[in-house]
Amino acid sequence: MKIDWDRRTCARKGHVTYAPDDPRLRVRLHARTALGDVWRCLRCGDFVLGEPHGSGPAGDAPLVPRGKVLRDLFILRFLAVERVVRGVFIVLVAVAVWRFSNSQDAVRRLFNEYLDVFRPVFRHFHYDLDHSPVVGSLQKAFGYKHSTLLLLAGLLLAYALIELVEAIGLWYAKRWAEYLTVVATAAFLPLEIYELTEHISWLKITTLVLNVLAVLYIALTKRLFGLRGGRPKFEEERHSASLLEVEESAGVMV
């Protein structure tokens, strides 16, 4: 089912109308009805009853995202929400690492006590906790120095900060955030691939696929790094999105 992004956005945010000074454009965007004057919405193209939201030279008309631009904005905001969730989770992990570094011995003793309790239970289900990769990783963590754990917590917080900055920039469709997202996400792809060579899981595979798709999608649709014509073509695409500009370039001077 094809989504009408223009009308969907207008239904949620309202229409955007504008009265250009040029009479040749004004007549194409304005009509009179028995109920009063109507103006054509710059986003969805429907005529709206009432006074226009703005007026003036055609060049001063608001740049209203339409169609594909709106779809791209929706996807960017979806990625922004995903970055926020990931960032908050990493902050919680960093806090947990920091608290663990300050009570490492107590946590180790508590872990060993619970391990002794659950070892017979898991053995009953033919699962050896002593050879579990998860248990092994946790036991290895108990051997880390306090300074190492503090460094790890700091690196996690820095990573979380990058994720949250990305989220804010993507939500407002900032071009610098798109570059940051592509570079930061691509930088971690080799690590994610290496983790798959160590242990394969559906979560790791899904995360890797989503990150690869995000990098390709943003880089190609936003024409980053000179792809598909680069920034000039991207700006041209943006400015061609306004219905008023479409009307102006449609040959009204004929």
Side-chain angles (χ1 to χ4, degrees), residues 85-150:
V85 173
R86 189 191 302 182
V88 171
F89 175 76
I90 294 173
V91 168
L92 294 176
V93 173
V95 172
V97 171
W98 174 74
R99 294 191 64 179
F100 168 70
S101 68
N102 293 323
S103 55
Q104 196 169 350
D105 292 335
V107 174
R108 181 194 289 113
R109 288 194 298 270
L110 184 63
F111 176 81
N112 289 333
E113 290 176 4
Y114 277 103
L115 189 63
D116 291 336
V117 171
F118 285 105
R119 187 178 285 108
V121 177
F122 278 84
R123 188 178 295 123
H124 177 73
F125 292 98
H126 306 286
Y127 187 85
D128 188 1
L129 286 179
D130 293 325
H131 293 87
S132 168
V134 176
V135 173
S137 299
L138 291 173
Q139 289 174 332
K140 187 184 299 183
F142 290 132
Y144 292 156
K145 296 180 180 179
H146 177 72
S147 58
T148 303
L149 292 172
L150 287 180

Short mmCIF file of all heavy atoms in Angstrom, two decimals, residues 85-150:
data_model
loop_
_atom_site.label_atom_id
_atom_site.label_comp_id
_atom_site.label_asym_id
_atom_site.label_seq_id
_atom_site.Cartn_x
_atom_site.Cartn_y
_atom_site.Cartn_z
N VAL A 85 17.36 5.15 22.11
CA VAL A 85 17.21 3.91 22.90
C VAL A 85 18.57 3.28 23.15
O VAL A 85 18.90 2.88 24.27
CB VAL A 85 16.27 2.93 22.17
CG1 VAL A 85 16.26 1.58 22.89
CG2 VAL A 85 14.87 3.51 22.09
N ARG A 86 19.39 3.20 22.08
CA ARG A 86 20.72 2.61 22.22
C ARG A 86 21.59 3.44 23.16
O ARG A 86 22.31 2.90 23.99
CB ARG A 86 21.38 2.49 20.85
CG ARG A 86 22.68 1.69 20.89
CD ARG A 86 23.46 1.81 19.61
NE ARG A 86 22.69 1.37 18.45
CZ ARG A 86 23.20 1.35 17.22
NH1 ARG A 86 24.43 1.77 16.99
NH2 ARG A 86 22.46 0.93 16.21
N GLY A 87 21.52 4.77 23.03
CA GLY A 87 22.33 5.65 23.87
C GLY A 87 21.98 5.52 25.34
O GLY A 87 22.87 5.45 26.20
N VAL A 88 20.68 5.47 25.64
CA VAL A 88 20.24 5.32 27.03
C VAL A 88 20.71 3.97 27.60
O VAL A 88 21.17 3.89 28.74
CB VAL A 88 18.71 5.45 27.13
CG1 VAL A 88 18.23 5.08 28.54
CG2 VAL A 88 18.29 6.88 26.80
N PHE A 89 20.59 2.92 26.78
CA PHE A 89 21.04 1.60 27.22
C PHE A 89 22.53 1.60 27.52
O PHE A 89 22.98 1.04 28.54
CB PHE A 89 20.72 0.56 26.15
CG PHE A 89 21.24 -0.82 26.46
CD1 PHE A 89 20.61 -1.62 27.40
CD2 PHE A 89 22.37 -1.31 25.82
CE1 PHE A 89 21.10 -2.89 27.71
CE2 PHE A 89 22.86 -2.57 26.11
CZ PHE A 89 22.22 -3.36 27.05
N ILE A 90 23.33 2.24 26.66
CA ILE A 90 24.78 2.28 26.88
C ILE A 90 25.12 3.08 28.13
O ILE A 90 26.05 2.73 28.87
CB ILE A 90 25.48 2.87 25.64
CG1 ILE A 90 25.30 1.94 24.45
CG2 ILE A 90 26.97 3.08 25.90
CD1 ILE A 90 25.80 2.52 23.13
N VAL A 91 24.37 4.15 28.38
CA VAL A 91 24.58 4.92 29.62
C VAL A 91 24.34 4.03 30.84
O VAL A 91 25.12 4.06 31.81
CB VAL A 91 23.65 6.15 29.66
CG1 VAL A 91 23.66 6.78 31.05
CG2 VAL A 91 24.11 7.19 28.64
N LEU A 92 23.27 3.24 30.80
CA LEU A 92 22.97 2.34 31.92
C LEU A 92 24.08 1.31 32.10
O LEU A 92 24.46 0.99 33.24
CB LEU A 92 21.63 1.64 31.68
CG LEU A 92 20.39 2.54 31.68
CD1 LEU A 92 19.14 1.73 31.35
CD2 LEU A 92 20.22 3.23 33.03
N VAL A 93 24.62 0.80 30.99
CA VAL A 93 25.73 -0.15 31.09
C VAL A 93 26.96 0.52 31.67
O VAL A 93 27.66 -0.05 32.52
CB VAL A 93 26.05 -0.74 29.69
CG1 VAL A 93 27.33 -1.59 29.74
CG2 VAL A 93 24.89 -1.57 29.18
N ALA A 94 27.24 1.76 31.26
CA ALA A 94 28.39 2.50 31.78
C ALA A 94 28.26 2.72 33.29
O ALA A 94 29.23 2.57 34.04
CB ALA A 94 28.53 3.84 31.06
N VAL A 95 27.06 3.07 33.73
CA VAL A 95 26.82 3.26 35.17
C VAL A 95 27.02 1.95 35.92
O VAL A 95 27.61 1.92 37.01
CB VAL A 95 25.40 3.82 35.40
CG1 VAL A 95 25.06 3.83 36.89
CG2 VAL A 95 25.28 5.23 34.84
N ALA A 96 26.52 0.85 35.32
CA ALA A 96 26.69 -0.46 35.95
C ALA A 96 28.17 -0.83 36.07
O ALA A 96 28.61 -1.35 37.10
CB ALA A 96 25.93 -1.52 35.16
N VAL A 97 28.95 -0.55 35.02
CA VAL A 97 30.39 -0.83 35.06
C VAL A 97 31.08 0.01 36.12
O VAL A 97 31.94 -0.47 36.86
CB VAL A 97 31.03 -0.57 33.67
CG1 VAL A 97 32.55 -0.64 33.75
CG2 VAL A 97 30.50 -1.59 32.66
N TRP A 98 30.69 1.29 36.20
CA TRP A 98 31.28 2.19 37.20
C TRP A 98 30.97 1.71 38.63
O TRP A 98 31.85 1.66 39.49
CB TRP A 98 30.76 3.60 37.00
CG TRP A 98 31.21 4.55 38.06
CD1 TRP A 98 32.46 5.09 38.23
CD2 TRP A 98 30.42 5.05 39.14
NE1 TRP A 98 32.49 5.90 39.33
CE2 TRP A 98 31.25 5.89 39.91
CE3 TRP A 98 29.09 4.87 39.52
CZ2 TRP A 98 30.80 6.55 41.05
CZ3 TRP A 98 28.62 5.53 40.65
CH2 TRP A 98 29.47 6.36 41.39
N ARG A 99 29.72 1.33 38.87
CA ARG A 99 29.34 0.85 40.20
C ARG A 99 30.04 -0.48 40.50
O ARG A 99 30.45 -0.73 41.64
CB ARG A 99 27.82 0.69 40.29
CG ARG A 99 27.07 2.01 40.18
CD ARG A 99 25.61 1.87 40.51
NE ARG A 99 25.44 1.47 41.89
CZ ARG A 99 24.25 1.29 42.48
NH1 ARG A 99 23.14 1.46 41.77
NH2 ARG A 99 24.17 0.92 43.73
N PHE A 100 30.16 -1.31 39.48
CA PHE A 100 30.85 -2.59 39.67
C PHE A 100 32.32 -2.37 40.02
O PHE A 100 32.89 -3.07 40.86
CB PHE A 100 30.73 -3.42 38.39
CG PHE A 100 31.63 -4.62 38.36
CD1 PHE A 100 31.39 -5.71 39.18
CD2 PHE A 100 32.72 -4.67 37.50
CE1 PHE A 100 32.22 -6.82 39.15
CE2 PHE A 100 33.54 -5.77 37.46
CZ PHE A 100 33.30 -6.85 38.29
N SER A 101 32.95 -1.36 39.40
CA SER A 101 34.37 -1.09 39.67
C SER A 101 34.61 -0.67 41.11
O SER A 101 35.70 -0.87 41.65
CB SER A 101 34.88 0.01 38.73
OG SER A 101 34.29 1.26 39.04
N ASN A 102 33.58 -0.08 41.74
CA ASN A 102 33.73 0.38 43.12
C ASN A 102 33.38 -0.70 44.15
O ASN A 102 33.60 -0.50 45.34
CB ASN A 102 32.84 1.61 43.36
CG ASN A 102 33.32 2.81 42.56
OD1 ASN A 102 34.51 3.02 42.41
ND2 ASN A 102 32.38 3.59 42.05
N SER A 103 32.81 -1.81 43.70
CA SER A 103 32.46 -2.89 44.63
C SER A 103 32.73 -4.24 43.98
O SER A 103 31.91 -5.15 44.04
CB SER A 103 30.99 -2.79 45.05
OG SER A 103 30.15 -2.77 43.91
N GLN A 104 33.90 -4.32 43.35
CA GLN A 104 34.24 -5.49 42.54
C GLN A 104 34.30 -6.77 43.37
O GLN A 104 33.76 -7.81 43.00
CB GLN A 104 35.58 -5.24 41.85
CG GLN A 104 35.88 -6.16 40.70
CD GLN A 104 37.08 -5.68 39.91
OE1 GLN A 104 37.55 -4.57 40.12
NE2 GLN A 104 37.57 -6.50 39.02
N ASP A 105 34.96 -6.71 44.53
CA ASP A 105 35.11 -7.90 45.36
C ASP A 105 33.77 -8.39 45.89
O ASP A 105 33.51 -9.61 45.91
CB ASP A 105 36.05 -7.59 46.54
CG ASP A 105 37.48 -7.36 46.07
OD1 ASP A 105 37.84 -7.88 44.99
OD2 ASP A 105 38.23 -6.65 46.78
N ALA A 106 32.92 -7.47 46.31
CA ALA A 106 31.61 -7.86 46.85
C ALA A 106 30.76 -8.51 45.76
O ALA A 106 30.08 -9.52 46.00
CB ALA A 106 30.89 -6.64 47.42
N VAL A 107 30.80 -7.95 44.55
CA VAL A 107 30.01 -8.52 43.45
C VAL A 107 30.55 -9.89 43.08
O VAL A 107 29.78 -10.82 42.78
CB VAL A 107 30.03 -7.57 42.24
CG1 VAL A 107 29.34 -8.20 41.04
CG2 VAL A 107 29.36 -6.24 42.59
N ARG A 108 31.89 -10.06 43.10
CA ARG A 108 32.47 -11.35 42.78
C ARG A 108 32.01 -12.43 43.77
O ARG A 108 31.64 -13.54 43.36
CB ARG A 108 33.99 -11.26 42.79
CG ARG A 108 34.66 -12.62 42.44
CD ARG A 108 36.13 -12.64 42.78
NE ARG A 108 36.91 -11.80 41.89
CZ ARG A 108 37.54 -10.69 42.27
NH1 ARG A 108 37.49 -10.30 43.54
NH2 ARG A 108 38.24 -10.00 41.39
N ARG A 109 32.04 -12.08 45.06
CA ARG A 109 31.60 -13.06 46.08
C ARG A 109 30.13 -13.41 45.89
O ARG A 109 29.74 -14.59 45.98
CB ARG A 109 31.83 -12.49 47.48
CG ARG A 109 33.31 -12.42 47.89
CD ARG A 109 33.45 -12.17 49.37
NE ARG A 109 32.86 -10.90 49.75
CZ ARG A 109 33.52 -9.73 49.77
NH1 ARG A 109 34.79 -9.70 49.41
NH2 ARG A 109 32.92 -8.62 50.14
N LEU A 110 29.29 -12.39 45.61
CA LEU A 110 27.86 -12.64 45.42
C LEU A 110 27.64 -13.51 44.17
O LEU A 110 26.81 -14.44 44.19
CB LEU A 110 27.12 -11.30 45.27
CG LEU A 110 25.60 -11.38 45.15
CD1 LEU A 110 25.00 -11.99 46.42
CD2 LEU A 110 25.00 -9.99 44.90
N PHE A 111 28.39 -13.24 43.13
CA PHE A 111 28.27 -14.01 41.89
C PHE A 111 28.63 -15.46 42.13
O PHE A 111 27.94 -16.38 41.67
CB PHE A 111 29.16 -13.39 40.82
CG PHE A 111 29.17 -14.16 39.53
CD1 PHE A 111 28.15 -14.03 38.61
CD2 PHE A 111 30.22 -15.04 39.24
CE1 PHE A 111 28.17 -14.74 37.42
CE2 PHE A 111 30.24 -15.76 38.06
CZ PHE A 111 29.21 -15.61 37.14
N ASN A 112 29.72 -15.70 42.83
CA ASN A 112 30.16 -17.06 43.10
C ASN A 112 29.16 -17.81 43.96
O ASN A 112 28.93 -19.02 43.78
CB ASN A 112 31.53 -17.05 43.77
CG ASN A 112 32.63 -16.64 42.80
OD1 ASN A 112 32.51 -16.84 41.60
ND2 ASN A 112 33.70 -16.05 43.33
N GLU A 113 28.55 -17.11 44.92
CA GLU A 113 27.54 -17.75 45.76
C GLU A 113 26.33 -18.19 44.93
O GLU A 113 25.84 -19.32 45.07
CB GLU A 113 27.10 -16.78 46.86
CG GLU A 113 28.16 -16.52 47.92
CD GLU A 113 27.71 -15.49 48.93
OE1 GLU A 113 26.54 -15.05 48.83
OE2 GLU A 113 28.51 -15.12 49.83
N TYR A 114 25.86 -17.30 44.06
CA TYR A 114 24.72 -17.66 43.22
C TYR A 114 25.10 -18.74 42.20
O TYR A 114 24.27 -19.59 41.84
CB TYR A 114 24.19 -16.42 42.49
CG TYR A 114 23.23 -15.60 43.32
CD1 TYR A 114 23.64 -14.42 43.91
CD2 TYR A 114 21.92 -16.01 43.51
CE1 TYR A 114 22.78 -13.66 44.69
CE2 TYR A 114 21.03 -15.28 44.27
CZ TYR A 114 21.47 -14.09 44.86
OH TYR A 114 20.60 -13.37 45.62
N LEU A 115 26.34 -18.72 41.75
CA LEU A 115 26.80 -19.74 40.80
C LEU A 115 26.76 -21.12 41.45
O LEU A 115 26.35 -22.10 40.82
CB LEU A 115 28.21 -19.40 40.32
CG LEU A 115 28.75 -20.24 39.15
CD1 LEU A 115 27.89 -20.02 37.92
CD2 LEU A 115 30.20 -19.86 38.87
N ASP A 116 27.16 -21.19 42.71
CA ASP A 116 27.12 -22.47 43.42
C ASP A 116 25.69 -22.97 43.59
O ASP A 116 25.43 -24.18 43.56
CB ASP A 116 27.78 -22.32 44.80
CG ASP A 116 29.28 -22.11 44.68
OD1 ASP A 116 29.85 -22.52 43.66
OD2 ASP A 116 29.87 -21.52 45.62
N VAL A 117 24.75 -22.01 43.76
CA VAL A 117 23.35 -22.39 43.96
C VAL A 117 22.74 -22.90 42.66
O VAL A 117 22.03 -23.92 42.63
CB VAL A 117 22.54 -21.19 44.49
CG1 VAL A 117 21.03 -21.52 44.49
CG2 VAL A 117 22.99 -20.82 45.89
N PHE A 118 23.03 -22.21 41.54
CA PHE A 118 22.38 -22.54 40.28
C PHE A 118 23.10 -23.62 39.48
O PHE A 118 22.53 -24.17 38.53
CB PHE A 118 22.26 -21.29 39.40
CG PHE A 118 21.19 -20.34 39.86
CD1 PHE A 118 21.51 -19.16 40.52
CD2 PHE A 118 19.85 -20.64 39.64
CE1 PHE A 118 20.53 -18.30 40.94
CE2 PHE A 118 18.85 -19.78 40.05
CZ PHE A 118 19.19 -18.60 40.71
N ARG A 119 24.34 -23.96 39.86
CA ARG A 119 25.09 -24.95 39.10
C ARG A 119 24.36 -26.31 39.05
O ARG A 119 24.22 -26.89 37.94
CB ARG A 119 26.50 -25.11 39.69
CG ARG A 119 27.39 -26.02 38.84
CD ARG A 119 28.79 -26.14 39.41
NE ARG A 119 29.59 -24.94 39.18
CZ ARG A 119 29.94 -24.08 40.12
NH1 ARG A 119 29.54 -24.28 41.39
NH2 ARG A 119 30.68 -23.03 39.83
N PRO A 120 23.85 -26.86 40.18
CA PRO A 120 23.12 -28.15 40.11
C PRO A 120 21.83 -28.06 39.29
O PRO A 120 21.46 -29.02 38.61
CB PRO A 120 22.82 -28.46 41.58
CG PRO A 120 23.79 -27.64 42.36
CD PRO A 120 24.01 -26.40 41.56
N VAL A 121 21.17 -26.89 39.36
CA VAL A 121 19.91 -26.73 38.62
C VAL A 121 20.17 -26.80 37.12
O VAL A 121 19.48 -27.51 36.38
CB VAL A 121 19.24 -25.39 38.99
CG1 VAL A 121 17.97 -25.19 38.16
CG2 VAL A 121 18.93 -25.34 40.48
N PHE A 122 21.18 -26.06 36.66
CA PHE A 122 21.50 -26.06 35.23
C PHE A 122 22.06 -27.41 34.79
O PHE A 122 21.85 -27.83 33.65
CB PHE A 122 22.49 -24.94 34.91
CG PHE A 122 21.84 -23.60 34.73
CD1 PHE A 122 21.55 -22.80 35.84
CD2 PHE A 122 21.50 -23.14 33.47
CE1 PHE A 122 20.95 -21.57 35.67
CE2 PHE A 122 20.90 -21.91 33.30
CZ PHE A 122 20.62 -21.11 34.41
N ARG A 123 22.78 -28.08 35.70
CA ARG A 123 23.32 -29.40 35.35
C ARG A 123 22.19 -30.39 35.11
O ARG A 123 22.31 -31.30 34.29
CB ARG A 123 24.25 -29.89 36.46
CG ARG A 123 25.01 -31.17 36.09
CD ARG A 123 25.95 -31.61 37.19
NE ARG A 123 27.02 -30.62 37.39
CZ ARG A 123 27.26 -30.02 38.56
NH1 ARG A 123 26.50 -30.31 39.62
NH2 ARG A 123 28.25 -29.16 38.67
N HIS A 124 21.08 -30.21 35.84
CA HIS A 124 19.92 -31.08 35.66
C HIS A 124 19.37 -30.96 34.23
O HIS A 124 18.84 -31.92 33.67
CB HIS A 124 18.82 -30.70 36.67
CG HIS A 124 17.56 -31.50 36.51
ND1 HIS A 124 17.45 -32.84 36.88
CD2 HIS A 124 16.35 -31.16 35.99
CE1 HIS A 124 16.24 -33.27 36.61
NE2 HIS A 124 15.54 -32.27 36.06
N PHE A 125 19.51 -29.76 33.63
CA PHE A 125 19.05 -29.54 32.25
C PHE A 125 20.19 -29.69 31.25
O PHE A 125 20.12 -29.18 30.12
CB PHE A 125 18.43 -28.14 32.13
CG PHE A 125 17.15 -27.98 32.90
CD1 PHE A 125 17.15 -27.40 34.16
CD2 PHE A 125 15.96 -28.45 32.37
CE1 PHE A 125 15.96 -27.25 34.87
CE2 PHE A 125 14.77 -28.31 33.08
CZ PHE A 125 14.77 -27.72 34.34
N HIS A 126 21.27 -30.36 31.67
CA HIS A 126 22.41 -30.68 30.82
C HIS A 126 23.11 -29.43 30.30
O HIS A 126 23.53 -29.36 29.14
CB HIS A 126 21.98 -31.58 29.64
CG HIS A 126 21.25 -32.80 30.06
ND1 HIS A 126 21.88 -33.90 30.66
CD2 HIS A 126 19.92 -33.12 30.02
CE1 HIS A 126 20.98 -34.82 30.93
NE2 HIS A 126 19.78 -34.38 30.56
N TYR A 127 23.21 -28.42 31.14
CA TYR A 127 23.93 -27.20 30.78
C TYR A 127 25.02 -26.95 31.81
O TYR A 127 24.74 -26.81 33.01
CB TYR A 127 22.97 -26.00 30.72
CG TYR A 127 23.63 -24.75 30.18
CD1 TYR A 127 23.71 -24.53 28.81
CD2 TYR A 127 24.18 -23.80 31.04
CE1 TYR A 127 24.32 -23.38 28.30
CE2 TYR A 127 24.79 -22.66 30.54
CZ TYR A 127 24.85 -22.45 29.18
OH TYR A 127 25.45 -21.33 28.68
N ASP A 128 26.25 -26.91 31.35
CA ASP A 128 27.40 -26.76 32.24
C ASP A 128 27.76 -25.28 32.38
O ASP A 128 28.30 -24.67 31.45
CB ASP A 128 28.59 -27.54 31.69
CG ASP A 128 29.75 -27.59 32.68
OD1 ASP A 128 29.62 -27.03 33.79
OD2 ASP A 128 30.80 -28.18 32.33
N LEU A 129 27.44 -24.70 33.51
CA LEU A 129 27.73 -23.29 33.73
C LEU A 129 29.23 -23.00 33.75
O LEU A 129 29.66 -21.91 33.40
CB LEU A 129 27.11 -22.81 35.06
CG LEU A 129 25.59 -22.61 35.07
CD1 LEU A 129 25.14 -22.17 36.45
CD2 LEU A 129 25.17 -21.59 34.02
N ASP A 130 30.02 -23.96 34.14
CA ASP A 130 31.47 -23.75 34.23
C ASP A 130 32.11 -23.58 32.85
O ASP A 130 33.22 -23.05 32.74
CB ASP A 130 32.13 -24.93 34.96
CG ASP A 130 31.71 -24.99 36.42
OD1 ASP A 130 31.53 -23.91 37.01
OD2 ASP A 130 31.55 -26.10 36.95
N HIS A 131 31.41 -24.01 31.81
CA HIS A 131 31.93 -23.86 30.45
C HIS A 131 31.05 -22.93 29.61
O HIS A 131 31.10 -22.97 28.38
CB HIS A 131 32.05 -25.23 29.76
CG HIS A 131 33.08 -26.13 30.38
ND1 HIS A 131 32.80 -26.96 31.45
CD2 HIS A 131 34.40 -26.30 30.09
CE1 HIS A 131 33.90 -27.61 31.78
NE2 HIS A 131 34.88 -27.24 30.98
N SER A 132 30.25 -22.13 30.30
CA SER A 132 29.37 -21.19 29.60
C SER A 132 30.18 -19.96 29.16
O SER A 132 30.92 -19.38 29.96
CB SER A 132 28.23 -20.75 30.51
OG SER A 132 27.53 -19.66 29.96
N PRO A 133 30.04 -19.52 27.90
CA PRO A 133 30.76 -18.32 27.45
C PRO A 133 30.37 -17.08 28.25
O PRO A 133 31.20 -16.22 28.52
CB PRO A 133 30.33 -18.19 25.98
CG PRO A 133 29.90 -19.56 25.58
CD PRO A 133 29.31 -20.17 26.80
N VAL A 134 29.08 -16.98 28.62
CA VAL A 134 28.62 -15.82 29.38
C VAL A 134 29.26 -15.80 30.76
O VAL A 134 29.78 -14.77 31.22
CB VAL A 134 27.08 -15.83 29.51
CG1 VAL A 134 26.61 -14.68 30.39
CG2 VAL A 134 26.44 -15.76 28.13
N VAL A 135 29.23 -16.94 31.43
CA VAL A 135 29.84 -17.03 32.76
C VAL A 135 31.34 -16.77 32.67
O VAL A 135 31.92 -16.07 33.52
CB VAL A 135 29.56 -18.41 33.38
CG1 VAL A 135 30.33 -18.57 34.70
CG2 VAL A 135 28.07 -18.59 33.63
N GLY A 136 31.97 -17.31 31.63
CA GLY A 136 33.40 -17.09 31.45
C GLY A 136 33.74 -15.62 31.26
O GLY A 136 34.73 -15.13 31.80
N SER A 137 32.90 -14.92 30.50
CA SER A 137 33.13 -13.49 30.28
C SER A 137 32.99 -12.70 31.57
O SER A 137 33.76 -11.78 31.85
CB SER A 137 32.15 -12.95 29.22
OG SER A 137 32.34 -13.61 27.98
N LEU A 138 31.98 -13.07 32.37
CA LEU A 138 31.78 -12.38 33.64
C LEU A 138 32.95 -12.64 34.60
O LEU A 138 33.42 -11.72 35.29
CB LEU A 138 30.46 -12.83 34.28
CG LEU A 138 29.18 -12.37 33.55
CD1 LEU A 138 27.96 -13.03 34.19
CD2 LEU A 138 29.06 -10.85 33.62
N GLN A 139 33.40 -13.88 34.66
CA GLN A 139 34.53 -14.19 35.53
C GLN A 139 35.80 -13.47 35.08
O GLN A 139 36.61 -13.05 35.90
CB GLN A 139 34.75 -15.71 35.55
CG GLN A 139 33.66 -16.46 36.30
CD GLN A 139 33.81 -17.97 36.18
OE1 GLN A 139 34.35 -18.48 35.20
NE2 GLN A 139 33.32 -18.70 37.18
N LYS A 140 35.96 -13.33 33.76
CA LYS A 140 37.11 -12.59 33.25
C LYS A 140 37.04 -11.12 33.66
O LYS A 140 38.06 -10.49 33.97
CB LYS A 140 37.17 -12.72 31.74
CG LYS A 140 38.43 -12.12 31.11
CD LYS A 140 38.39 -12.20 29.59
CE LYS A 140 38.32 -13.66 29.13
NZ LYS A 140 38.35 -13.74 27.63
N ALA A 141 35.81 -10.59 33.68
CA ALA A 141 35.63 -9.18 34.05
C ALA A 141 36.03 -8.92 35.50
O ALA A 141 36.49 -7.82 35.84
CB ALA A 141 34.19 -8.76 33.82
N PHE A 142 35.86 -9.94 36.35
CA PHE A 142 36.23 -9.76 37.76
C PHE A 142 37.74 -9.56 37.92
O PHE A 142 38.19 -9.03 38.94
CB PHE A 142 35.79 -10.98 38.58
CG PHE A 142 34.29 -11.08 38.72
CD1 PHE A 142 33.63 -12.26 38.47
CD2 PHE A 142 33.55 -9.98 39.12
CE1 PHE A 142 32.25 -12.36 38.61
CE2 PHE A 142 32.17 -10.07 39.25
CZ PHE A 142 31.52 -11.25 39.00
N GLY A 143 38.50 -9.97 36.92
CA GLY A 143 39.94 -9.83 37.01
C GLY A 143 40.46 -8.50 36.49
O GLY A 143 41.67 -8.23 36.59
N TYR A 144 39.59 -7.67 35.95
CA TYR A 144 40.02 -6.39 35.43
C TYR A 144 40.40 -5.44 36.57
O TYR A 144 39.79 -5.46 37.63
CB TYR A 144 38.92 -5.75 34.59
CG TYR A 144 38.63 -6.47 33.30
CD1 TYR A 144 37.38 -6.34 32.67
CD2 TYR A 144 39.58 -7.28 32.69
CE1 TYR A 144 37.10 -7.00 31.49
CE2 TYR A 144 39.30 -7.94 31.50
CZ TYR A 144 38.06 -7.79 30.92
OH TYR A 144 37.79 -8.46 29.75
N LYS A 145 41.38 -4.60 36.29
CA LYS A 145 41.77 -3.60 37.27
C LYS A 145 40.70 -2.52 37.41
O LYS A 145 39.92 -2.28 36.50
CB LYS A 145 43.10 -2.95 36.86
CG LYS A 145 44.29 -3.90 36.85
CD LYS A 145 45.54 -3.17 36.42
CE LYS A 145 46.75 -4.09 36.39
NZ LYS A 145 47.98 -3.37 35.96
N HIS A 146 40.73 -1.86 38.56
CA HIS A 146 39.77 -0.78 38.81
C HIS A 146 39.92 0.32 37.76
O HIS A 146 38.92 0.84 37.23
CB HIS A 146 40.00 -0.21 40.22
CG HIS A 146 39.12 0.96 40.54
ND1 HIS A 146 37.77 0.82 40.79
CD2 HIS A 146 39.40 2.29 40.64
CE1 HIS A 146 37.25 2.02 41.03
NE2 HIS A 146 38.22 2.92 40.96
N SER A 147 41.16 0.68 37.42
CA SER A 147 41.40 1.73 36.43
C SER A 147 40.90 1.33 35.05
O SER A 147 40.38 2.16 34.30
CB SER A 147 42.89 2.06 36.38
OG SER A 147 43.65 0.90 36.05
N THR A 148 41.02 0.04 34.72
CA THR A 148 40.55 -0.45 33.43
C THR A 148 39.04 -0.34 33.32
O THR A 148 38.49 0.07 32.29
CB THR A 148 40.98 -1.91 33.21
OG1 THR A 148 42.40 -2.01 33.30
CG2 THR A 148 40.52 -2.42 31.86
N LEU A 149 38.35 -0.68 34.41
CA LEU A 149 36.90 -0.59 34.41
C LEU A 149 36.43 0.86 34.32
O LEU A 149 35.44 1.17 33.65
CB LEU A 149 36.34 -1.25 35.67
CG LEU A 149 36.52 -2.77 35.75
CD1 LEU A 149 36.10 -3.29 37.11
CD2 LEU A 149 35.70 -3.46 34.65
N LEU A 150 37.15 1.77 35.00
CA LEU A 150 36.80 3.19 34.91
C LEU A 150 36.99 3.71 33.49
O LEU A 150 36.18 4.49 32.98
CB LEU A 150 37.65 4.01 35.88
CG LEU A 150 37.32 3.86 37.37
CD1 LEU A 150 38.25 4.73 38.21
CD2 LEU A 150 35.86 4.23 37.63
#
